[in-house]
Amino acid sequence: MRSPAAPTSARQAARRVRILRAASDLGSRDGLADVQMHDVAREAGVAIATLYRYFPSKPLLFLGVLEWHIEQFLGGRDGGAPVAADADPVTEVADTLVALSGKLLADQLLASAVALSSFTEYASVVPTRIDIVEKALGQRLLHLLGDRGEACSRVRLLVYSWWGLFVAMLTEEISTEQGEADLRLAARLIAAR
């Protein structure tokens, strides 16, 4: 499977966002199994070849939807708003992960779509992987933790912990309250020095 193409102009970036918005709307309404790539292309107003250029498969499309929702939540890819000088990084990390989980879990069908896509994508062979620290959530957590020793490893551990707890809350293996408590514990154990 080839890697998704990245937009190289403002027009292409806008087209990619239309695709992500359409997939998000359809996933939220119909769930992953009932979303067809042709429907996404039609809803976004793009040719099916354009859709496949940016997203070679439905799992990669919904992973893009997940990352886009995270970027929207965080306020962009640059790490988001500045952190107050007196802010506790551990509390900021925990609050970010808890709030992000709540935002994503508010739409159960879409949350299920992005989670299922993640499992499908990781089960397939993809030629390149991007380090999660480079993604929007990783950048935000790195920003909150500062450039301290082992910061990238701590961020990876935090994101993996968050994802596991997010899926456990989504599948109701644990309650939202327990997931939030566990996220706060993970932040204390992993982010604190």
Side-chain angles (χ1 to χ4, degrees):
M1 178 184 309
R2 70 171 183 76
S3 297
T8 58
S9 69
R11 185 173 170 205
Q12 289 177 350
R15 186 178 303 133
R16 184 177 184 275
V17 168
R18 283 198 327 266
I19 292 168
L20 292 168
R21 185 172 285 120
S24 181
D25 291 346
L26 291 169
S28 182
R29 186 185 73 210
D30 302 333
L32 182 66
D34 291 334
V35 172
Q36 301 299 316
M37 295 295 268
H38 281 89
D39 296 334
V40 174
R42 184 175 50 251
E43 184 86 13
V46 300
I48 190 70
T50 300
L51 172 60
Y52 278 109
R53 177 174 172 254
Y54 292 114
F55 303 102
S57 68
K58 191 163 60 167
L60 287 175
L61 171 60
F62 277 90
L63 285 176
V65 167
L66 173 62
E67 185 62 27
W68 180 64
H69 276 272
I70 291 172
E71 287 173 13
Q72 298 300 304
F73 173 80
L74 296 175
R77 293 187 57 85
D78 62 356
V83 182
D86 62 342
D88 174 33
V90 173
T91 301
E92 293 289 324
V93 164
D95 288 349
T96 298
L97 295 175
V98 166
L100 176 60
S101 295
K103 175 3 179 146
L104 294 172
L105 289 169
D107 188 335
Q108 290 286 305
L109 275 178
L110 185 59
S112 294
V114 298
L116 286 170
S117 291
S118 171
F119 302 142
T120 302
E121 192 275 335
Y122 282 111
S124 67
V125 177
V126 177
T128 60
R129 299 226 187 265
I130 296 175
D131 191 332
I132 59 173
V133 175
E134 295 176 6
K135 296 291 193 175
L137 181 57
Q139 286 297 299
R140 178 62 180 168
L141 297 180
L142 194 59
H143 177 72
L144 291 171
L145 292 176
D147 194 14
R148 299 182 292 160
E150 300 176 342
C152 289
S153 293
R154 290 173 187 265
V155 165
R156 268 190 291 281
L157 288 169
L158 284 164
V159 172
Y160 288 137
S161 297
W162 166 74
W163 183 253
L165 289 166
F166 169 75
V167 170
M169 288 183 281
L170 175 65
T171 60
E172 298 179 351
E173 179 181 333
I174 61 174
S175 68
T176 302
E177 295 77 21
Q178 184 62 57
E180 290 177 3
D182 289 353
L183 282 170
R184 292 186 187 287
L185 176 61
R188 278 198 315 276
L189 295 173
I190 297 169
R193 280 201 70 133

